[in-house]
Amino acid sequence: MRNALVLAVLAALSSSPAMSQTPPPAPNIAPWDQEFLPPAPDWNGTSRSLIRRTTDPWATDFEKDPELNFSPDYAATRAWFDRLDASSELIRIEEFGVSPEGRPIYAVIASKDGAAFDPAKPVLLIQAGIHPGEIDGKDAGMMLLRDIAHYRKDHLLDGVNLILIPILSVDGHERASEYSRPNQRGPRVQGWRNTATNQNLNRDYMKLDQAEMRAVRGLIVKYPPDLYVDVHVTDGMDYQYDVTFGFNGENGAFTRSPASSTWLDDVFKPAMYGALEDRGHIPGELVFGVGDDPKAGLSDGGLGERFSNGWGAAAHVPTILIENHSLKPYDQRVLGTYVFIEAALRILADDGGDLRAAIRADEALRPAEIPANFEPDPTPQRTVAFKGIRYETWRSEASGREEIRWLGEPDPELWQVPFYGSRPTLTLTRPDAYWVPAHRADLIERLAIHGVRMERLDAPRTVPVDMLRLVDPTVATRTNEGHVATAVKTVEVERRDWTFPAGSVRVSTDQPLGDVVVLLLEPQSSESFFAWGLIPEVLNRVEYIEGYAIAPLADRMLAADPALKAEFEARLAADAAFAANGDARLQWFYERTPFYDDRFRLYPIARETR
């Protein structure tokens, strides 16, 4: 009943009939305009000239829509690209995966090189629809690829190759409705944020749970991109910028790929800002609001490797995260994305050689210490000038408090607001290698999908290693992305001679993906397989001992070992709760007998250090 009432209210706000997956048949039928959203500032950038007439045989469904507020479904998109592929030798489609619901995941490749890329040319990979409601990159990519194939922009491929993933989360794209993203202005019909298995793919860059992310990782291994652009649409506060983008290491912040980040800062960013501004767009740095007060501050949004930009820095794949502004009209966002992709092609063609040199420099890094587990820094790094939107507050009867009302007017005065970055809470020491036992073939498979190089044992091998004993690990009280997370702050190192069976792997950290290896295999890392709850068996105890057996054995141990007796008495004196708990006292002795489960909380992945 409640949903029916909400839909009735929404219907009353609109003069349109129910939305369908086809454009409205006549220009006089206005789309649902989401009147509860703030007004959009006027915009008439020169990038509007990129839109082709509706009568053009290659006009996209977006361009044919009278309101420029429509994005086609999966079948219509694929049919259009198939037609483009058949019409041009510059375009080919490559299927590189299958979704959980059985839909092919495909890329559209634009190249003058035929089936094999010229290795001298940089590769630009544009990924759209990892969050399918944020689909600007698909429609922008359709327009640009059309212009490359048929409207004299093929010169863009003279010095660079382009790969477009128009829809990564294809199942989420087809869970479409006009009620998917209430904080976003268009397109009218939008896909769902999560996949058919209810997973957020932009949290899966490290653990590689999902078919879609495993597929895209395979595509990246096959066609290593020199620049990887992940296209999103933001939520949150209103501001003047329509295209914001960022990367780890921007403005000198921490990054695992400093040379590439310097190139992005010094070469790419100013050239891209100029290209967008020349076409009437307002580019800005990727930022996120802090708190409810619009002027309280901005943050970097986090540097975690589960996100595309964090993974890219760790894997030494220069990665840009675009967040177009959700409150800007759909046509403005699509056109800004078109300009961005076209400009990126030009920049790579001119300066891609320097970027490749930066990538090689980053791939050669082998830091002895690896900062990890970043959290928001409570101390602002600097003050930034920010192009805000005027706003006022009003008291809502529904919330019973003051709420923000954005007025849709650019504030003539630049806001001066604090910017908060991120700081590491853990420093990991880089070992020479890790050993993953054969019985964890699932983890070995995930490492292989990442592209990690490994030595696989053909026969058992006994090696001296450091095994880690987990001290007081904790288990989350709720699920996260389909997992029950685990955490451990302290580990005890035990030197062992350990026999690894055939099928086990030695994973050297002396490789370009060495930082990724450390972050995945150190249990204290918040991005590790352990942290995602993928190694829960280490928390299970198997054997127990009854009081009638351990009590007399413990008394004998006290009588026979003065050092043990002194240790026990010191514990009694220091811990009153322990002293008063008979079960805890007997457990203390049990843990010091050979009957105790030696592998309880013994992490199964070993470190190798010289």
Side-chain angles (χ1 to χ4, degrees):
M1 183 64 177
R2 182 179 300 164
N3 285 342
L5 290 173
V6 171
L7 294 177
V9 172
L10 293 174
L13 292 174
S14 172
S15 61
S16 71
M19 295 299 109
S20 69
Q21 275 287 4
T22 57
N28 62 348
I29 299 179
W32 176 49
D33 56 12
Q34 294 174 288
E35 289 184 358
F36 53 82
L37 289 181
D42 293 334
W43 180 80
N44 194 31
T46 60
S47 60
R48 288 194 182 279
S49 64
L50 298 169
I51 299 171
R52 305 207 70 82
R53 296 179 182 274
T54 59
T55 55
D56 189 295
W58 285 106
T60 66
D61 287 347
F62 159 73
E63 292 167 304
K64 291 177 181 178
D65 181 57
E67 303 294 333
L68 297 173
N69 194 31
F70 179 80
S71 187
D73 64 13
Y74 173 89
T77 302
R78 178 61 189 265
W80 191 92
F81 275 123
D82 283 340
R83 188 164 66 95
L84 188 67
D85 181 4
S87 73
S88 172
E89 294 183 352
L90 300 177
I91 306 296
R92 64 184 172 90
I93 293 175
E94 182 169 325
E95 295 183 359
F96 62 92
V98 178
S99 75
E101 290 186 340
R103 296 181 177 91
I105 309 170
Y106 63 94
V108 185
I109 299 175
S111 174
K112 291 186 173 181
D113 301 341
F117 283 171
D118 178 352
K121 289 184 181 179
V123 176
L124 173 63
L125 174 57
I126 304 294
Q127 176 180 283
I130 189 171
H131 292 153
E134 308 165 29
I135 202 62
D136 307 11
K138 178 189 74 177
D139 292 294
M142 294 173 78
M143 292 172 62
L144 179 57
L145 287 169
R146 177 266 322 279
D147 291 346
I148 288 173
H150 294 297
Y151 294 101
R152 298 180 299 282
K153 286 194 175 182
D154 58 292
H155 62 277
L156 293 171
L157 301 179
D158 289 347
V160 64
N161 289 312
L162 172 63
I163 302 173
L164 170 72
I165 303 173
I167 314 166
L168 178 57
S169 180
V170 293
D171 295 342
H173 187 276
E174 293 309 280
R175 184 183 169 184
S177 122
E178 54 267 41
Y179 302 110
S180 289
R181 287 178 61 81
N183 305 313
Q184 180 176 305
R185 180 170 277 113
R188 287 194 304 278
V189 178
Q190 303 163 349
W192 193 250
R193 182 177 182 85
N194 279 15
T195 67
T197 58
N198 200 31
Q199 301 298 304
N200 185 337
L201 294 182
N202 199 33
R203 305 295 185 271
D204 198 31
Y205 274 87
M206 292 291 277
K207 56 184 172 63
L208 293 180
D209 267 345
Q210 302 304 307
E212 298 92 338
M213 290 309 300
R214 292 180 174 214
V216 79
R217 191 70 190 95
L219 186 73
I220 289 170
V221 171
K222 182 177 181 179
Y223 302 112
D226 297 274
L227 184 63
Y228 180 28
V229 179
D230 183 19
V231 185
H232 290 248
V233 180
T234 189
D235 293 319
M237 64 188 296
D238 202 357
Y239 44 67
Q240 297 179 40
Y241 310 101
D242 57 355
V243 180
T244 67
F245 64 93
F247 46 90
N248 282 26
E250 190 170 9
N251 299 316
F254 172 78
T255 176
R256 305 190 195 282
S257 294
S260 299
S261 295
T262 297
W263 184 90
L264 291 171
D265 246 342
D266 296 346
V267 177
F268 185 88
K269 187 164 72 170
M272 183 57 70
Y273 272 44
L276 287 163
E277 289 167 350
D278 285 347
R279 302 307 297 266
H281 294 276
I282 306 177
E285 293 181 4
L286 178 62
V287 292
F288 301 86
V290 174
D292 296 328
D293 180 355
K295 296 183 180 179
L298 304 168
S299 81
D300 61 12
L303 304 177
E305 287 76 23
R306 67 191 59 187
F307 309 113
S308 61
N309 51 319
W311 166 83
H316 310 309
V317 177
T319 301
I320 289 176
L321 173 61
I322 293 180
E323 289 278 3
N324 293 329
H325 190 237
S326 61
L327 295 177
K328 300 299 184 289
Y330 189 56
D331 60 330
Q332 183 176 350
R333 303 197 321 259
V334 169
L335 294 173
T337 308
Y338 180 116
V339 174
F340 189 103
I341 301 171
E342 181 178 14
L345 287 169
R346 297 180 188 276
I347 297 167
L348 278 183
D350 292 340
D351 296 293
D354 290 341
L355 176 58
R356 282 192 166 180
I359 294 170
R360 301 293 90 80
D362 290 332
E363 288 179 333
L365 296 175
R366 303 291 187 268
E369 293 186 336
I370 299 177
N373 296 14
F374 284 80
E375 68 175 12
D377 191 336
T379 303
Q381 292 181 349
R382 62 186 186 277
T383 299
V384 299
F386 190 72
K387 296 180 180 180
I389 292 287
R390 291 184 60 244
Y391 64 94
E392 63 186 12
T393 60
W394 61 289
R395 186 165 184 82
S396 165
E397 180 180 358
S399 71
R401 66 186 183 192
E402 294 293 308
E403 303 288 351
I404 298 292
R405 176 184 286 126
W406 299 102
L407 302 177
E409 303 168 6
D411 195 324
E413 295 186 10
L414 282 176
W415 298 0
Q416 301 296 323
V417 296
F419 177 82
Y420 296 87
S422 298
R423 64 181 183 184
T425 61
L426 176 68
T427 299
L428 299 168
T429 300
R430 185 190 206 92
D432 296 308
Y434 293 93
W435 287 85
V436 184
H439 72 269
R440 291 314 309 258
D442 58 325
L443 303 184
I444 295 171
E445 179 189 18
R446 292 173 195 246
L447 292 170
I449 295 170
H450 269 288
V452 171
R453 297 196 299 264
M454 295 173 282
E455 174 194 355
R456 190 178 298 267
L457 298 187
D458 295 327
R461 186 185 303 178
T462 301
V463 291
V465 293
D466 290 334
M467 304 296 292
L468 306 181
R469 184 79 64 180
L470 309 180
V471 179
D472 296 328
T474 58
V475 179
T477 57
R478 63 176 185 174
T479 61
N480 180 24
E481 298 301 323
H483 293 279
V484 178
T486 53
V488 64
K489 293 183 177 180
T490 304
V491 297
E492 295 174 348
V493 179
E494 301 178 10
R495 191 69 174 173
R496 302 282 192 96
D497 287 333
W498 201 269
T499 300
F500 291 92
S504 301
V505 295
R506 179 183 183 272
V507 189
S508 172
T509 63
D510 184 15
Q511 59 177 302
L513 291 177
D515 287 6
V516 171
V517 169
V518 174
L519 293 166
L520 284 173
L521 298 184
E522 284 291 333
Q524 293 170 285
S525 163
S526 60
E527 301 289 356
S528 68
F529 293 139
F530 175 80
W532 278 107
L534 296 177
I535 313 177
E537 70 274 13
V538 71
L539 306 182
N540 296 339
R541 279 184 59 194
V542 179
E543 293 290 353
Y544 297 84
I545 192 169
E546 299 291 348
Y548 63 76
I550 187 59
L553 177 57
D555 287 345
R556 291 174 58 186
M557 293 166 65
L558 283 172
D561 190 340
L564 180 69
K565 181 178 177 65
E567 182 185 358
F568 179 62
E569 289 175 345
R571 176 68 186 274
L572 293 175
D575 189 340
F578 173 77
N581 188 331
D583 289 338
R585 290 165 64 141
L586 292 178
Q587 176 68 18
W588 189 90
F589 285 98
Y590 177 39
E591 292 173 4
R592 286 154 178 78
T593 73
F595 298 106
Y596 188 70
D597 180 4
D598 177 61
R599 298 194 185 185
F600 176 51
R601 295 183 178 175
L602 189 68
Y603 188 58
I605 299 169
R607 293 175 182 161
E608 177 188 317
T609 55
R610 294 190 181 89

